Amino acid sequence: MRIMTYQLSGALLAGFLMLAGMPHLQAQNQSSSDRLPMLDEERAEWVAERIFQNECAQQVSCLTSWNAGEDFPSLGIGHFIWYRQAQQEPFVESFPGLLAFYVAQGVDLPGWLAGLPEWDSPWPDRAAFMADYDGERLQGLREFLYQTRAVQAQYIIRRMAQSLPGLMAASDRPQQIENLFYQIAGADLPYGMYALIDYVNFKGEGTSIDERYQGEGWGLLQVLEFMLDHPPRVPSQPELLERFAAAARAVLARRIDNAPPERGEERWRDGWNNRTYTYIPD
């Protein structure tokens, strides 16, 4: 097995952000990514390390996780979800998309992973996954995911940059959604870009009709719509990123309230709330 090694290079990430504005990556909405602010090397690296910190506290052991109470593993610096064959869940699966991105970037996958016929998760349940945790497959996968952190960060950044057309299409206020999206992106660089990138990675775009509890979603679209529905009171207008973080907490609280009781999502409240506070400049 040959693994191409990548260091978490801010230059690589900054270069990718500039590429994200090129027409061949945004053919359907050429002007949208052109309006995103460019992050220099230091800021791009800061964003990537924050995501790794949020999901894994920068611990290699966390790169292959299966949380108690969940029916799927979460992998990599972004805790990308991976389903078994024919598994149906109310969350957007993201790990196969990362694998496709690796291949597109010319990165060789570990042999056992590349050999999976449909890129489906091979573990039938958490017990089987944990029994394999110190085995060759998962040890090798952790090493691979650690060495390719920069590629994962590119994938996360691209997902955010390409999310806007879908957000606008799913809303009955597309122009307001677009304007707010760009206002947040440009706020207190690099915090605004980080807030959007991290939240999309954390809870998704919010455009999938399957990603709902009791008909209500919890992704970026819902956070932006909450902000539009709850404009600030004049003259005591909070800072934009404070409003974004508060809206995220409100949307996540609604998700917890709507979640099936057996999922026990109340246990995540404090951690989720603390994560939103990292969107506010120190």
Side-chain angles (χ1 to χ4, degrees):
M1 174 183 68
R2 180 169 65 89
I3 297 178
M4 298 176 67
T5 304
Y6 291 80
Q7 297 301 316
L8 191 53
S9 163
L12 179 59
L13 297 180
F16 179 81
L17 280 176
M18 287 186 282
L19 286 173
M22 292 184 176
H24 69 281
L25 291 182
Q26 287 287 339
Q28 293 183 335
N29 195 0
Q30 182 172 348
S31 63
S32 64
S33 58
D34 291 336
R35 293 175 59 187
L36 287 173
M38 298 296 104
L39 299 183
D40 60 22
E41 179 177 338
E42 182 179 358
R43 286 171 170 172
E45 187 167 359
W46 179 88
V47 168
E49 290 295 342
R50 281 259 173 154
I51 293 170
F52 190 24
Q53 174 67 33
N54 287 343
E55 294 289 1
C56 281
Q58 298 192 348
Q59 299 298 308
V60 175
S61 60
C62 173
L63 292 173
T64 56
S65 301
W66 190 317
N67 294 323
E70 293 184 334
D71 196 26
F72 47 81
S74 302
L75 308 170
I77 68 168
H79 269 193
F80 308 107
I81 293 172
W82 198 14
Y83 291 152
R84 301 180 298 276
Q85 184 178 21
Q87 184 175 359
Q88 298 293 321
E89 298 282 347
F91 311 107
V92 174
E93 185 182 25
S94 48
F95 190 64
L98 174 63
L99 297 181
F101 186 72
Y102 276 127
V103 172
Q105 297 299 305
V107 179
D108 292 340
L109 302 176
W112 69 267
L113 187 53
L116 292 175
E118 299 293 337
W119 279 342
D120 294 319
S121 172
W123 298 281
D125 51 39
R126 184 173 184 269
F129 179 89
M130 297 308 296
D132 198 23
Y133 189 81
D134 292 321
E136 182 177 350
R137 284 193 301 185
L138 283 178
Q139 283 189 345
L141 183 56
R142 283 191 292 276
E143 178 185 357
F144 172 78
L145 291 170
Y146 183 73
Q147 291 179 347
T148 59
R149 303 188 308 285
V151 182
Q152 295 167 62
Q154 290 182 44
Y155 175 67
I156 292 168
I157 290 170
R158 188 181 74 159
R159 182 179 177 186
M160 186 282 289
Q162 295 184 336
S163 68
L164 181 58
L167 297 176
M168 294 173 64
S171 175
D172 58 2
R173 295 171 285 184
Q175 192 60 58
Q176 291 175 276
I177 291 291
E178 181 182 36
N179 292 339
L180 184 56
F181 180 92
Y182 287 124
Q183 289 171 16
I184 293 168
D188 294 294
L189 282 176
Y191 280 88
M193 285 287 286
Y194 158 63
L196 294 176
I197 291 165
D198 185 74
Y199 198 85
V200 167
N201 179 68
F202 174 39
K203 291 302 176 196
E205 294 89 347
T207 56
S208 171
I209 61 173
D210 296 324
E211 208 164 36
R212 301 280 189 273
Y213 288 153
Q214 300 186 39
E216 294 187 293
W218 49 79
L220 178 60
L221 175 62
Q222 286 74 41
V223 175
L224 297 179
E225 289 184 330
F226 188 94
M227 293 177 71
L228 294 176
D229 291 338
H230 299 82
R233 296 181 180 179
V234 178
S236 57
Q237 177 174 340
E239 294 295 330
L240 184 60
L241 292 179
E242 291 180 0
R243 290 179 54 214
F244 180 82
R249 289 192 295 277
V251 167
L252 292 171
R254 186 175 67 194
R255 166 178 162 157
I256 291 170
D257 291 342
N258 289 342
E262 62 271 17
R263 287 194 55 81
E265 294 203 0
E266 176 63 37
R267 62 194 162 133
W268 305 116
R269 187 187 300 271
D270 289 345
W272 288 355
N273 286 347
N274 289 338
R275 184 165 182 158
T276 70
Y277 286 112
T278 70
Y279 302 156
I280 304 170
D282 298 330

